[in-house]
Amino acid sequence: MPNGFGYGGYGYGYGYGGILYHLSRLIGETVTIYTTSGGQSGSGFTGVLIGVNPSFVTLVTGQGPAPGCALGNTCGGYDNYGGYGNYSGYNGIYSVGSITHIPVYMIASFTHNTL
Protein backbone atom coordinates (compact mmCIF):
# COMPACT_ATOMS: atom_id res chain seq x y z
CA MET A 1 0.00 0.00 0.00
CA PRO A 2 1.25 3.51 -0.71
CA ASN A 3 2.52 5.58 2.21
CA GLY A 4 2.48 2.57 4.54
CA PHE A 5 -1.32 2.42 4.84
CA GLY A 6 -2.70 -1.07 5.34
CA TYR A 7 -6.25 -2.22 4.82
CA GLY A 8 -6.85 -2.43 8.56
CA GLY A 9 -5.26 0.94 9.32
CA TYR A 10 -6.95 4.28 9.73
CA GLY A 11 -8.60 5.37 6.52
CA TYR A 12 -9.15 2.09 4.66
CA GLY A 13 -10.59 -0.33 7.19
CA TYR A 14 -14.06 -1.57 8.03
CA GLY A 15 -13.78 -0.16 11.55
CA TYR A 16 -15.75 2.94 12.46
CA GLY A 17 -14.23 5.86 10.59
CA GLY A 18 -12.70 3.74 7.81
CA ILE A 19 -13.70 4.36 4.21
CA LEU A 20 -14.78 0.74 3.71
CA TYR A 21 -17.12 1.01 6.69
CA HIS A 22 -18.80 4.08 5.25
CA LEU A 23 -18.99 2.70 1.72
CA SER A 24 -20.43 -0.64 2.88
CA ARG A 25 -23.33 1.25 4.48
CA LEU A 26 -24.19 2.73 1.04
CA ILE A 27 -24.56 -0.48 -0.99
CA GLY A 28 -27.50 -0.04 -3.34
CA GLU A 29 -27.18 3.77 -3.34
CA THR A 30 -25.81 6.08 -6.04
CA VAL A 31 -22.36 7.43 -5.18
CA THR A 32 -19.56 9.31 -6.90
CA ILE A 33 -16.06 8.05 -6.11
CA TYR A 34 -13.05 10.26 -6.87
CA THR A 35 -9.70 8.60 -7.42
CA THR A 36 -6.10 9.72 -7.15
CA SER A 37 -5.52 9.00 -10.83
CA GLY A 38 -5.40 11.66 -13.50
CA GLY A 39 -7.30 12.30 -16.69
CA GLN A 40 -10.93 11.23 -17.07
CA SER A 41 -10.77 8.77 -14.17
CA GLY A 42 -9.68 11.52 -11.76
CA SER A 43 -12.99 13.27 -12.42
CA GLY A 44 -14.83 10.54 -10.55
CA PHE A 45 -17.05 7.56 -11.25
CA THR A 46 -20.78 7.78 -10.59
CA GLY A 47 -22.93 4.69 -10.26
CA VAL A 48 -24.84 2.37 -7.98
CA LEU A 49 -22.55 0.81 -5.40
CA ILE A 50 -22.97 -2.97 -5.52
CA GLY A 51 -19.89 -4.32 -3.75
CA VAL A 52 -17.22 -3.43 -1.22
CA ASN A 53 -14.28 -5.64 -0.25
CA PRO A 54 -10.77 -4.94 1.08
CA SER A 55 -9.34 -4.69 -2.45
CA PHE A 56 -12.03 -3.13 -4.68
CA VAL A 57 -15.34 -1.31 -4.68
CA THR A 58 -17.72 -2.06 -7.54
CA LEU A 59 -20.16 0.33 -9.21
CA VAL A 60 -22.78 -0.23 -11.89
CA THR A 61 -21.90 2.75 -14.10
CA GLY A 62 -24.12 1.94 -17.07
CA GLN A 63 -27.35 -0.02 -17.03
CA GLY A 64 -28.16 -2.26 -19.96
CA PRO A 65 -31.57 -2.27 -21.63
CA ALA A 66 -34.47 -4.38 -20.41
CA PRO A 67 -35.25 -7.52 -22.44
CA GLY A 68 -37.34 -6.68 -25.49
CA CYS A 69 -39.11 -10.04 -25.46
CA ALA A 70 -39.47 -10.91 -21.81
CA LEU A 71 -41.29 -14.19 -22.42
CA GLY A 72 -38.64 -15.57 -24.76
CA ASN A 73 -40.62 -15.31 -28.00
CA THR A 74 -38.87 -14.05 -31.10
CA CYS A 75 -40.93 -10.87 -31.50
CA GLY A 76 -40.39 -11.24 -35.25
CA GLY A 77 -36.87 -9.76 -35.20
CA TYR A 78 -34.63 -12.82 -35.40
CA ASP A 79 -34.78 -13.90 -39.00
CA ASN A 80 -31.39 -13.39 -40.71
CA TYR A 81 -27.74 -14.25 -40.01
CA GLY A 82 -28.13 -17.21 -37.70
CA GLY A 83 -31.27 -16.04 -35.92
CA TYR A 84 -30.12 -12.61 -34.79
CA GLY A 85 -31.87 -10.25 -37.19
CA ASN A 86 -29.65 -8.19 -39.46
CA TYR A 87 -25.90 -7.68 -39.05
CA SER A 88 -26.41 -4.89 -36.48
CA GLY A 89 -28.03 -7.46 -34.18
CA TYR A 90 -30.81 -7.20 -31.67
CA ASN A 91 -32.69 -4.39 -33.45
CA GLY A 92 -29.94 -1.81 -32.98
CA ILE A 93 -29.44 -2.25 -29.21
CA TYR A 94 -25.69 -2.15 -28.61
CA SER A 95 -25.26 -1.39 -24.90
CA VAL A 96 -25.15 -4.19 -22.37
CA GLY A 97 -24.23 -1.92 -19.44
CA SER A 98 -20.98 -1.48 -17.59
CA ILE A 99 -19.41 -2.16 -14.20
CA THR A 100 -16.45 -0.30 -12.74
CA HIS A 101 -14.04 -1.84 -10.21
CA ILE A 102 -12.01 0.75 -8.29
CA PRO A 103 -8.98 -0.31 -6.20
CA VAL A 104 -9.51 0.84 -2.62
CA TYR A 105 -6.04 2.36 -2.34
CA MET A 106 -6.84 4.68 -5.30
CA ILE A 107 -9.91 6.26 -3.66
CA ALA A 108 -9.38 9.90 -2.72
CA SER A 109 -12.96 10.66 -1.63
CA PHE A 110 -16.58 9.90 -2.32
CA THR A 111 -19.90 11.67 -2.20
CA HIS A 112 -23.51 10.56 -1.90
CA ASN A 113 -26.97 12.00 -1.34
CA THR A 114 -28.27 12.40 2.17
CA LEU A 115 -30.76 9.75 3.15
Side-chain angles (χ1 to χ4, degrees):
M1 300 300 304
N3 301 323
F5 290 111
Y7 290 120
Y10 176 76
Y12 289 116
Y14 281 102
Y16 184 77
I19 197 167
L20 296 177
Y21 167 78
H22 290 291
L23 284 170
S24 66
R25 294 176 54 226
L26 297 170
I27 290 177
E29 302 292 330
T30 301
V31 297
T32 299
I33 297 178
Y34 299 96
T35 64
T36 58
S37 57
Q40 291 284 349
S41 62
S43 298
F45 297 92
T46 300
V48 176
L49 183 63
I50 62 168
V52 176
N53 68 50
S55 300
F56 293 93
V57 297
T58 303
L59 301 174
V60 174
T61 51
Q63 185 174 347
C69 301
L71 298 177
N73 60 17
T74 61
C75 296
Y78 299 92
D79 52 359
N80 300 326
Y81 297 101
Y84 293 105
N86 59 22
Y87 63 90
S88 63
Y90 297 107
N91 297 325
I93 298 173
Y94 298 106
S95 176
V96 293
S98 63
I99 291 189
T100 301
H101 301 284
I102 302 170
V104 170
Y105 72 91
M106 296 296 289
I107 297 174
S109 65
F110 69 95
T111 184
H112 62 91
N113 291 332
T114 58
L115 304 176

